[in-house]
Amino acid sequence: MRWRWIRAEPFYERVERLGLHGLHFQHVTLCERRAWMYFHGINFAQWHARVATGTAKHQSSYARDHSVEGLMGLAPDRINWDDRIVYENKGTGGAVEASDNQTAFYAVMLSIATGKGWRAVTHVLSTRRGREVPLDANRLESLWRASERLEELARLEAPPQATRIRLCDTCSLSGFCGFE
């Protein structure tokens, strides 16, 4: 049976037109200012100790799945092509909604591209456990709303106003925002 989502075509069109990928969906769920900066190529992650630690955990925990190389706009950590499961590794189980939106984005894009339903699993490295991310109506609506907000953010010439949130303590952009 062919995978169907009534918004598949306009979602795919928006993703292609704006050049969206998984991290956009993670960032917009966490913080709109962070999403805006990522959209505009402002990124300090390479100098952030927490990001460096996470990168080291990724590299030492699981080898990168080379079968994902060459996927246009998609960069999940691992794909089980036979069982149609996409995996995204995360260091801890925090920021569940943001992490799961990123993972779900990959599964939705593969479902649209292949016409077959894909499953999404967020793999938490600290527990070595996977968290299934159902592509149900709520998740699809969450991705749709995120894509709408990303389109609005793309039009802004300046970053949106932000208030300090708990994430600011660990965000690689906190110095830029003045929330360190």
Side-chain angles (χ1 to χ4, degrees), residues 124-167:
V124 180
L125 297 174
S126 61
T127 63
R128 297 185 173 265
R129 293 192 175 168
R131 182 177 59 233
E132 184 90 22
V133 183
L135 295 186
D136 57 16
N138 289 334
R139 180 65 57 193
L140 293 174
E141 182 62 23
S142 176
L143 291 175
W144 176 256
R145 284 193 318 263
S147 74
E148 288 179 320
R149 186 60 188 143
L150 285 164
E151 183 154 32
E152 292 168 1
L153 290 172
R155 291 190 206 119
L156 296 178
E157 292 185 15
Q161 292 296 314
T163 57
R164 182 172 174 70
I165 58 176
R166 204 171 111 206
L167 172 69

Side-chain angles (χ1 to χ4, degrees), residues 13 16 20 24 32 53 55 65 72 81 92 97 99 116 125 130 137 140 142 145 148 153-155 170-171 175-177:
E13 184 276 325
E16 287 293 302
L20 302 176
H24 288 106
E32 291 189 352
T53 301
T55 301
D65 178 355
M72 293 177 292
W81 293 96
T92 66
E97 186 66 16
S99 298
K116 297 178 179 176
L125 297 174
L140 293 174
S142 176
R145 284 193 318 263
E148 288 179 320
L153 290 172
R155 291 190 206 119
T170 57
C171 179
F176 185 83
C177 289

Side-chain angles (χ1 to χ4, degrees), residues 69-90:
E69 293 173 3
L71 294 174
M72 293 177 292
L74 298 178
D77 289 315
R78 188 166 36 114
I79 292 180
N80 177 332
W81 293 96
D82 293 333
D83 296 327
R84 295 193 313 267
I85 304 171
V86 61
Y87 296 90
E88 182 62 19
N89 295 336
K90 294 297 174 188

Side-chain angles (χ1 to χ4, degrees), residues 29 47-48 54 56 88 95 108-109 115 130 136 138 161 164 166 168 179:
T29 306
W47 296 300
H48 198 266
E88 182 62 19
V108 164
M109 293 305 288
D136 57 16
N138 289 334
Q161 292 296 314
R164 182 172 174 70
R166 204 171 111 206
C168 296
F179 293 140

